[in-house]
């Protein structure tokens, strides 16, 4: 039995249920109340926070909000609690994100903020403390999850993108159609993984460490990918902004170095592709995850194309091959993927 793989395969259903929830009924009402919370409270900026996966998707949402001219930032909940608390002001909409709704730092933060601060809770658990303590709430519909985050990650990422589009007045039929196309693409990736995953494993070969590199919205996938390797495989991994990697970390690259570069079409595609080619030139092995048609003959480069053209939805779809890489690597090393041995699914201590 491989519960981690089971939960990977449940992602299309989680995304379909999440989309359907916000198209009508109770979910539509919650979304409208969340928008009103921003517009009726003289809010001038949005501060998104969370831990781990919840923080990574917060960064994704902040990229989209800022692209629409809505000032937003994302800060790790522990850092916000201890070092940046003064950023929380009456004109700030605090968006607290926790899949379980019980993460220690997020709950502590909510207990500490003054009563006049507006807090939008984003969680997978309607009965959690986060959901109960928020001024407003947005729910994902991932369903129960026991292992390293997969379906709750993509579902909560989608919730925050829907909120961001709605706030910007862009929650349209076109966007909904793009999300349905995303779900279809993910469904196809899941059904065909036994065809493409062996090729990736063969290309990577043996490795003790793997790096992830990306820019903008893809930074969410970078960090989620690295976290999954560390948590679900119990193997060293790292994540870097594309710009940062040239400022020193490039010195790591040599024969035996393994890296995944996220390179969607967008503002920084050219920089990401150049990064991948330079790493290959220094004898590192590079998997490029992209939505572009690339014809590269370099033996140190493996191109994995997914047909998701929106740069923000790409951040959701591009995590799928990483999930299978994590599952495959854990099995290769004789480890049960996604199973917690030194912690728990819900972190209730600091």
């Amino acid at each position: 039995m491989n519960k981690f793989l089971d939960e990977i395969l449940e992602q299309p259903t989680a995304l379909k249920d999440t989309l359907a929830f916000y198209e009508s009924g109770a979910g539509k009402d919650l979304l409208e109340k969340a928008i009103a919370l921003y517009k009726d409270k003289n809010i001038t900026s949005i501060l998104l926070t969370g831990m781990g996966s919840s923080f990574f998707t917060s960064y994704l949402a902040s990229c989209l909000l800022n692209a629409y001219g809505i000032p937003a930032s994302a800060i790790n909940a522990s850092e916000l609690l201890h070092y940046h608390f003064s950023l929380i002001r009456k004109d700030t909409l605090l968006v607290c994100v926790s899949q379980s709704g019980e993460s220690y730092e997020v709950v502590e933060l909510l207990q500490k903020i003054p009563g006049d601060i507006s807090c939008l809770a984003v969680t997978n658990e309607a009965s959690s403390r986060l959901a109960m303590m928020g001024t407003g709430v947005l729910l994902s519909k991932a369903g129960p999850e026991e292992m390293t985050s997969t379906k709750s990650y993509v579902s909560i990422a989608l919730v925050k993108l829907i909120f961001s589009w709605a706030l910007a007045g862009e929650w349209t039929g076109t966007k909904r159609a793009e999300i349905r196309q995303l779900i279809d693409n993910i469904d196809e990736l899941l059904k065909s993984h036994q065809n493409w995953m062996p090729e990736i494993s063969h290309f990577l070969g043996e490795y003790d460490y793997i790096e992830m590199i990306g820019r903008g919205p893809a930074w969410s996938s970078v960090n989620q990918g690295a976290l999954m390797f560390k948590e679900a495989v119990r193997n060293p991994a790292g994540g870097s902004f594309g710009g940062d990697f040239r400022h020193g970390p490039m010195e790591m690259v040599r024969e035996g170095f393994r890296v995944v570069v996220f390179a969607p079409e967008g503002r920084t595609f050219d920089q990401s592709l150049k990064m991948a080619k330079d790493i290959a030139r220094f004898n590192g092995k590079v998997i490029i995850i992209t939505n572009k048609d690339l014809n590269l003959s370099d033996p140190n480069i493996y191109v994995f194309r997914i047909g998701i053209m929106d740069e923000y939805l790409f951040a959701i779809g591009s995590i799928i091959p990483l999930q299978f890489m994590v599952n495959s690597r854990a099995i290769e090393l004789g480890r049960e993927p996604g199973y917690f041995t030194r912690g728990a699914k819900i972190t209730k201590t600091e």
Side-chain angles (χ1 to χ4, degrees):
M1 178 179 175
N2 184 338
K3 185 63 177 175
F4 182 65
L5 179 58
D6 289 343
E7 291 179 350
I8 289 174
L9 298 176
E10 291 168 1
Q11 289 176 114
T13 298
L15 290 169
K16 287 177 186 176
D17 291 347
T18 299
L19 173 60
F21 183 67
Y22 287 102
E23 288 188 303
S24 62
K28 184 179 179 181
D29 291 342
L30 288 180
L31 184 59
E32 290 174 352
K33 289 176 182 177
I35 301 305
L37 193 61
Y38 177 87
K39 294 185 175 179
D40 297 345
K41 297 284 187 177
N42 296 316
I43 299 297
T44 62
S45 65
I46 297 176
L47 179 57
L48 301 105
T49 191
M51 298 295 295
S53 298
S54 297
F55 169 58
F56 308 150
T57 56
S58 294
Y59 183 84
L60 168 63
S62 74
C63 287
L64 182 54
L65 289 165
N66 283 314
Y68 283 116
I70 300 171
S73 58
I75 298 179
N76 170 280
S78 180
E79 296 297 297
L80 182 58
L81 177 65
H82 294 297
Y83 294 103
H84 301 282
F85 191 78
S86 64
L87 292 175
I88 303 173
R89 303 183 299 266
K90 285 183 64 175
D91 62 348
T92 302
L93 175 60
L94 181 65
V95 180
C96 288
V97 188
S98 169
Q99 294 165 6
S100 67
E102 301 292 342
S103 296
Y104 175 86
E105 295 85 355
V106 172
V107 172
E108 284 291 301
L109 192 61
L110 282 172
Q111 291 174 340
K112 184 178 177 180
I113 61 174
D116 59 355
I117 299 297
S118 297
C119 175
L120 177 62
V122 182
T123 181
N124 194 46
E125 300 296 337
S127 60
S128 65
R129 282 187 287 176
L130 172 58
M132 299 301 180
M133 295 169 73
T135 317
V137 63
L138 293 175
L139 300 171
S140 77
K141 291 295 175 179
E145 185 178 64
E146 299 176 24
M147 313 301 278
T148 291
S149 174
T150 52
K151 60 180 181 172
S152 64
Y153 170 80
V154 298
S155 178
I156 283 185
L158 181 59
V159 169
K160 284 191 274 190
L161 290 181
I162 289 172
F163 168 69
S164 301
W165 279 315
L167 195 58
E170 297 290 336
W171 181 228
T172 63
T174 299
K175 279 296 169 206
R176 294 169 195 174
E178 289 177 356
I179 293 170
R180 290 188 176 89
Q181 185 62 46
L182 164 76
I183 296 169
D184 288 345
N185 271 270
I186 289 176
D187 194 41
E188 181 57 36
L189 285 174
L190 299 184
K191 290 177 179 177
S192 63
H193 76 272
Q194 291 178 328
N195 296 328
W196 52 260
M197 189 57 232
E199 293 182 4
I200 291 178
S201 294
H202 178 73
F203 173 79
L204 288 172
E206 283 298 316
Y207 58 97
D208 296 320
Y209 173 85
I210 189 165
E211 181 84 5
M212 318 285 158
I213 300 175
R215 296 170 182 256
W219 190 82
S220 178
S221 304
V222 163
N223 285 276
Q224 179 65 10
L227 177 62
M228 287 192 299
F229 268 98
K230 289 182 278 191
E231 185 177 278
V233 185
R234 298 173 285 285
N235 226 57
S240 299
F241 281 114
D244 277 343
F245 195 77
R246 288 198 183 277
H247 290 256
M250 185 69 84
E251 297 300 319
M252 292 191 295
V253 181
R254 58 180 59 83
E255 188 172 348
F257 184 76
R258 303 290 189 269
V259 64
V260 177
V261 174
F262 295 87
E265 185 172 10
R267 297 181 183 181
T268 55
F269 169 77
D270 290 340
Q271 293 93 324
S272 297
L273 182 59
K274 187 175 186 297
M275 172 73 70
K277 289 179 177 178
D278 286 347
I279 291 172
R281 181 163 55 87
F282 295 131
N283 292 318
K285 282 199 169 184
V286 187
I287 293 177
I288 302 176
I289 300 179
T290 185
N291 51 15
K292 295 269 284 186
D293 289 319
L294 298 178
N295 185 17
L296 303 175
S297 58
D298 193 317
N300 285 331
I301 294 178
Y302 181 95
V303 177
F304 189 94
R305 187 183 183 279
I306 56 177
I308 301 164
M309 301 314 297
D310 181 271
E311 188 173 5
Y312 299 91
L313 291 176
F314 178 89
I316 296 177
S318 61
I319 203 62
I320 303 302
L322 265 295
Q323 293 170 348
F324 281 100
M325 287 169 61
V326 164
N327 181 69
S328 178
R329 188 59 178 157
I331 292 171
E332 287 171 4
L333 295 173
R335 299 166 186 167
E336 183 176 356
Y339 181 75
F340 295 88
T341 62
R342 290 174 172 81
K345 176 68 175 176
I346 303 172
T347 302
K348 293 187 177 182
T349 186
E350 189 173 29

